Amino acid sequence: IRLNQLGYLPGEVKRVVVVNSGSSDFKIVDTTGNPVFSGKLDDRGVWDLSKERVKIADFSTFDKTGTYSVYVEDLGISYPFEISSNIYDDVFRASLKAFYIQRMSTPIEEKYAGKFSRAPGHPDMDCKFYPSSGRRGGSMPSPGGWYDAGDYNKYIVNAGYTVSMLLS
């Protein structure tokens, strides 16, 4: 039983992939094992790449917040998941924090980055043009951006706003 282990948002699509099962039904059960939703498995046939018989359990109409598992008779019970309107909040904040910590040419403050705090790095105020740019010489300032793959190259995203409120 393959599912989004993080969880699902109310009002959104909620599907689970069930592989190699002879069952035609599934249930959503609460933490005490009581069924709260049931449905039919939609047989999608054999997936050529994995040679697995794939069935889909769709419980998109079930929106009650809480912690649940999927039960399929011949496979048993799945890993627990949540239905919650803030299920992705921690992942969202962690993603923003990663962008903040990788920021170059700006100080990374301890109150947001902890042990990853540091002084601004690589201001890049005199970047030479590559011949492939079509210019025969010269340079331009290119401060800002984010470190890319640890090799001091960078990519630029012009967000135009601060994310400090989201990082705390």
Side-chain angles (χ1 to χ4, degrees), residues 15-120:
R15 291 186 184 136
V16 170
V17 177
V18 176
V19 296
N20 299 329
S21 171
S23 296
S24 58
D25 301 304
F26 73 96
K27 293 178 184 171
I28 303 298
V29 297
D30 64 17
T31 56
T32 63
N34 292 321
V36 294
F37 182 90
S38 62
K40 295 284 184 192
L41 292 170
D42 180 17
D43 192 338
R44 299 289 179 93
V46 174
W47 191 43
D48 289 338
L49 296 174
S50 68
K51 308 297 186 231
E52 295 170 313
R53 174 161 291 286
V54 174
K55 296 180 180 182
I56 303 296
D58 190 331
F59 55 104
S60 299
T61 59
F62 182 70
D63 283 331
K64 186 175 180 189
T65 59
T67 302
Y68 304 98
S69 296
V70 176
Y71 174 78
V72 177
E73 187 173 339
D74 62 350
L75 296 179
I77 198 157
S78 74
Y79 185 89
F81 62 89
E82 287 185 60
I83 296 176
S84 172
S85 60
N86 62 356
I87 199 72
Y88 298 117
D89 288 3
D90 289 343
V91 171
F92 175 70
R93 282 187 177 81
S95 297
L96 285 178
K97 192 168 194 171
F99 273 102
Y100 178 72
I101 290 171
Q102 290 178 319
R103 186 80 171 125
M104 61 190 309
S105 306
T106 190
I108 304 303
E109 299 179 45
E110 184 176 359
K111 68 181 178 180
Y112 302 123
K115 68 180 181 179
F116 300 107
S117 64
R118 59 173 170 72

Side-chain angles (χ1 to χ4, degrees), residues 97-153:
K97 192 168 194 171
F99 273 102
Y100 178 72
I101 290 171
Q102 290 178 319
R103 186 80 171 125
M104 61 190 309
S105 306
T106 190
I108 304 303
E109 299 179 45
E110 184 176 359
K111 68 181 178 180
Y112 302 123
K115 68 180 181 179
F116 300 107
S117 64
R118 59 173 170 72
H122 300 91
D124 293 337
M125 297 308 292
D126 187 33
C127 296
K128 307 287 187 239
F129 290 114
Y130 283 99
S132 63
S133 71
R135 298 180 186 223
R136 295 180 189 252
S139 65
M140 68 178 277
S142 182
W146 283 261
Y147 288 111
D148 176 24
D151 59 4
Y152 302 115
N153 287 327

